[in-house]
């Protein structure tokens, strides 16, 4: 009977050892699976972070390209407007010149004056203006032929220009 108890005790100890060993193996497997799961999560997080950065970078590049395109379009539109305004101004100026010439009026009455004697010296047909000239302080009056109200014949009138020093 003692042998039976001893044998039973040995079998029980052996079963306990096997159970403990199985439990250790199971714990090790769970630990390995947990580490693998954590690594997968870290990789997934890194991939998501990298994708987020790529998306943000792409969005910023797209916004910059859109902004650049808008600026180019705006500049082109502004240039077209400026060219159109310049053409309109040139046409108006040409029309005004034609009307003034038809009426026999000087083109710019504030910048012209009749050539006459200056300082008691007759310099008709050369340069200089009468005392009513409105040239600026750094300008002088030069001869210029045009039709005036005084008749159909062209008359020598002065035109203001930079003074020769």
């Amino acid at each position: 009977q003692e042998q039976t108890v001893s044998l039973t005790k040995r079998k029980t100890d052996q079963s306990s050892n096997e159970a403990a060993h199985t439990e250790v193996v199971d714990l090790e497997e769970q630990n390995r699976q947990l580490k693998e799961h954590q690594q997968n999560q870290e990789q997934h997080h890194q991939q998501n972070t990298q994708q987020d950065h790529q998306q943000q970078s792409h969005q910023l590049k797209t916004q910059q390209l859109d902004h650049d395109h808008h600026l180019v379009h705006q500049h082109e539109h502004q240039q077209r407007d400026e060219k159109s305004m310049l053409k309109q101004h040139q046409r108006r100026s040409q029309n005004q010149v034609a009307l003034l010439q038809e009426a026999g009026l000087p083109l710019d009455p504030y910048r012209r004056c009749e050539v006459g004697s200056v300082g008691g010296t007759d310099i008709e047909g050369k340069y200089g203006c009468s005392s009513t000239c409105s040239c600026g302080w750094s300008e002088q009056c030069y001869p210029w032929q045009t039709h005036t109200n005084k008749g159909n014949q062209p008359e020598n009138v002065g035109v203001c220009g930079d003074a020769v020093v």
Side-chain angles (χ1 to χ4, degrees):
Q1 205 174 25
E2 268 182 46
Q3 267 183 344
T4 306
V5 170
S6 174
L7 187 59
T8 304
K9 189 175 177 188
R10 235 186 288 157
K11 282 185 179 178
T12 303
D13 288 345
Q14 188 178 5
S15 291
S16 292
N17 285 343
E18 286 176 0
H21 179 69
T22 302
E23 191 175 326
V24 167
V25 169
D26 287 346
L27 288 173
E28 286 176 348
E29 178 61 22
Q30 287 176 358
N31 192 23
R32 186 193 63 74
Q33 288 176 354
L34 182 61
K35 284 182 182 179
E36 186 177 301
H37 180 70
Q38 286 174 340
Q39 287 175 346
N40 287 339
Q41 282 185 330
E42 286 177 20
Q43 286 177 351
H44 183 69
H45 177 72
Q46 287 175 352
Q47 288 173 348
N48 285 343
T49 302
Q50 188 177 15
Q51 286 175 353
D52 288 345
H53 287 300
Q54 287 173 347
Q55 286 176 349
Q56 289 173 353
S57 176
H58 179 72
Q59 286 175 346
L60 288 174
K61 287 178 184 176
T62 302
Q63 287 173 352
Q64 184 65 40
L65 286 173
D66 288 346
H67 180 72
D68 290 348
H69 177 74
H70 175 73
L71 289 177
V72 166
H73 180 71
Q74 187 178 13
H75 181 70
E76 289 171 349
H77 185 69
Q78 185 178 3
Q79 282 182 329
R80 280 194 304 271
D81 287 350
E82 288 173 358
K83 285 179 183 178
S84 175
M85 289 173 49
L86 180 62
K87 286 180 182 178
Q88 288 176 357
H89 179 71
Q90 287 172 339
R91 280 193 297 268
R92 270 193 239 117
S93 294
Q94 289 170 351
N95 291 341
Q96 288 174 349
V97 166
L99 289 173
L100 287 172
Q101 286 177 339
E102 284 177 22
L105 298 172
L107 298 180
D108 185 356
Y110 299 105
R111 302 279 294 157
R112 293 177 181 42
C113 51
E114 292 185 21
V115 174
S117 60
V118 178
T121 308
D122 188 11
I123 53 172
E124 182 82 26
K126 303 214 188 248
Y127 56 87
C129 300
S130 65
S131 60
T132 60
C133 181
S134 63
C135 293
W137 68 271
S138 66
E139 298 175 316
Q140 67 186 47
C141 191
Y142 294 95
W144 185 57
Q145 294 287 330
T146 189
H147 290 280
T148 63
N149 286 336
K150 296 180 181 175
N152 290 333
Q153 296 295 322
E155 291 189 31
N156 188 10
V157 295
V159 59
C160 295
D162 290 338
V164 179
V165 180

